[in-house]
Amino acid sequence: EAGVVQSPRYKIIEKKQPVAFWCNPISGHNTLYWYRQNLGQGPELLIRYENEEAVDDSQLPKDRFSAERLKGVDSTLKIQPAELGDSAVYLCASSFGVYTEAFFGQGTRLTVV
Amino acid sequence: GENVEQHPSTLSVQEGDSAVIKCTYSDSASNYFPWYKQELGKRPQLIIDIRSNVGEKKDQRIAVTLNKTAKHFSLHITETQPEDSAVYFCAVYLYSGGGADGLTFGKGTHLIIQP
């Protein structure tokens, strides 16, 4: 069974440029998460989807971040414009639902210069 | 929202000894408590989890205990081996049927197994 797939694995951009990350969750998983992980820290939740509905986006900086999950499957996370402080690993995870194991993708390491 | 504190931030033990990592949480309605292991440059992976109706769960050398009254839970690793070296994260799932739900992670414990 394929796991959570993310792309790209690495991205280097100049500040003020836009960037987008893509996530393909495990088939059948209704819940999809986007997390940001800074070096030496735990993952911080940005947004959680139940199917195509964003049910928790309270930690998403909405002035520059946006996300969508069309048809309740794949999801994209966008930053526009990127700032130096956005450099981090962006992790996507999916699960069948509440109280169940969240499976993580390999992450996208973003470097803003 | 939920607040999760994890201690210690770094733990060094001799190979073969036991390691214990503790997490505390703030919301008594939290009801699912997984532990993840993350090796350098890799994704976090679940190693064990416990639900609020259970006090203890064991899987070979790994065990988790939950004290709902005190709002803390701990990861216990016995007979530690070099491959146990990694960063371990506790997490707490608060499900209230409304907002502020989801999986909140602690800041992590860097476990070092000394040969």
Side-chain angles (χ1 to χ4, degrees):
Chain A
E1 176 183 308
V4 178
V5 179
Q6 290 186 246
S7 68
R9 288 292 312 277
Y10 306 92
K11 189 74 176 179
I12 302 174
I13 61 170
E14 294 183 344
K15 62 181 180 182
K16 301 184 181 180
Q17 294 302 306
V19 64
F21 314 125
W22 175 80
C23 173
N24 178 238
I26 293 173
S27 178
H29 281 193
N30 298 323
T31 304
L32 184 145
Y33 306 86
W34 281 103
Y35 285 91
R36 176 170 59 191
Q37 187 174 26
N38 292 306
L39 190 64
Q41 300 292 315
E44 297 174 333
L45 181 67
L46 293 173
I47 190 168
R48 178 172 70 94
Y49 283 92
E50 294 293 340
N51 298 305
E52 66 274 9
E53 181 182 0
V55 296
D56 183 4
D57 62 355
S58 57
Q59 302 303 314
L60 190 72
K62 297 182 183 63
D63 57 336
R64 298 183 300 107
F65 286 65
S66 64
E68 61 180 8
R69 189 182 185 195
L70 299 176
K71 300 182 180 179
V73 182
D74 294 359
S75 178
T76 57
L77 178 68
K78 299 178 181 178
I79 308 175
Q80 182 172 12
E83 298 179 351
L84 294 177
D86 296 331
S87 295
V89 175
Y90 290 82
L91 293 163
C92 177
S94 71
S95 68
F96 276 117
V98 300
Y99 313 139
T100 62
E101 178 180 358
F103 292 84
F104 283 84
Q106 291 278 35
T108 296
R109 182 177 296 278
L110 174 67
T111 303
V112 182
V113 297
Chain B
E2 182 61 270
N3 183 36
V4 181
E5 293 193 2
Q6 183 172 347
H7 299 281
S9 57
T10 303
L11 178 60
S12 181
V13 302
Q14 289 294 124
E15 181 179 350
D17 288 350
S18 296
V20 180
I21 304 169
K22 179 184 280 192
C23 283
T24 60
Y25 58 98
S26 58
D27 197 318
S28 58
S30 296
N31 45 26
Y32 174 60
F33 309 90
W35 285 91
Y36 282 81
K37 176 183 180 182
Q38 187 174 30
E39 297 176 356
L40 188 62
K42 296 189 176 181
R43 72 188 82 188
Q45 293 191 297
L46 182 78
I47 55 171
I48 196 167
D49 58 10
I50 193 168
R51 289 171 173 75
S52 58
N53 58 344
V54 176
E56 183 175 358
K57 183 177 178 180
K58 189 173 182 180
D59 182 5
Q60 298 182 354
R61 296 186 298 108
I62 295 172
V64 55
T65 58
L66 172 64
N67 184 327
K68 286 197 67 181
T69 303
K71 290 186 281 188
H72 68 71
F73 59 112
S74 299
L75 176 71
H76 305 255
I77 305 175
T78 59
E79 301 173 16
T80 52
Q81 300 170 3
E83 54 264 36
D84 294 330
S85 293
V87 180
Y88 292 80
F89 294 99
C90 64
V92 175
Y93 199 113
L94 169 65
Y95 183 71
S96 63
D101 302 337
L103 204 54
T104 301
F105 284 81
K107 293 189 182 300
T109 295
H110 186 191
L111 177 62
I112 302 166
I113 307 302
Q114 302 280 5

